[in-house]
Amino acid sequence: MAANSGLALGLILRGDADQDPKQASYQSREATLRGILSSAEASASPAAQAATTLRAQLAESSDFTPAEAYLLNEWLDRFQAGNKTK
């Protein structure tokens, strides 16, 4: 509930025309589910924890173009998976 409230308030307060609320909602939901459903061992590395934190901020940011956000999201997936290459 707190994540939904924070996301809604963030979208309202920022009022960015370029920001896609559906994408922010999707990313927030996925991050929440990943946090609940993943095992503690899978997210134990500092890189994975940092990637999770950065991903949560990315959902609220309008500093990146959609292409940049997609690329950054892919890199964060790699950090969270522990893979250096795909």
Side-chain angles (χ1 to χ4, degrees):
M1 182 67 174
N4 290 333
S5 298
L7 178 63
L9 289 173
L11 288 171
I12 291 169
L13 293 174
R14 290 180 63 110
D16 293 333
D18 296 334
Q19 190 171 3
D20 181 9
K22 290 180 183 178
Q23 184 66 17
S25 176
Y26 172 79
Q27 290 175 341
S28 178
R29 185 191 75 212
E30 290 301 310
T32 301
L33 289 175
R34 193 172 24 261
I36 293 169
L37 300 175
S38 66
S39 68
E41 295 174 16
S43 63
S45 80
Q49 291 174 0
T52 302
T53 302
L54 186 55
R55 187 186 306 273
Q57 295 299 316
L58 177 64
E60 299 173 2
S61 175
S62 63
D63 295 334
F64 299 101
T65 66
E68 291 169 335
Y70 179 84
L71 182 59
L72 182 54
N73 218 6
E74 181 178 332
W75 290 338
L76 294 174
D77 283 341
R78 291 181 190 182
F79 273 111
Q80 288 179 313
N83 297 332
K84 294 189 191 287
T85 59
K86 237 181 185 177

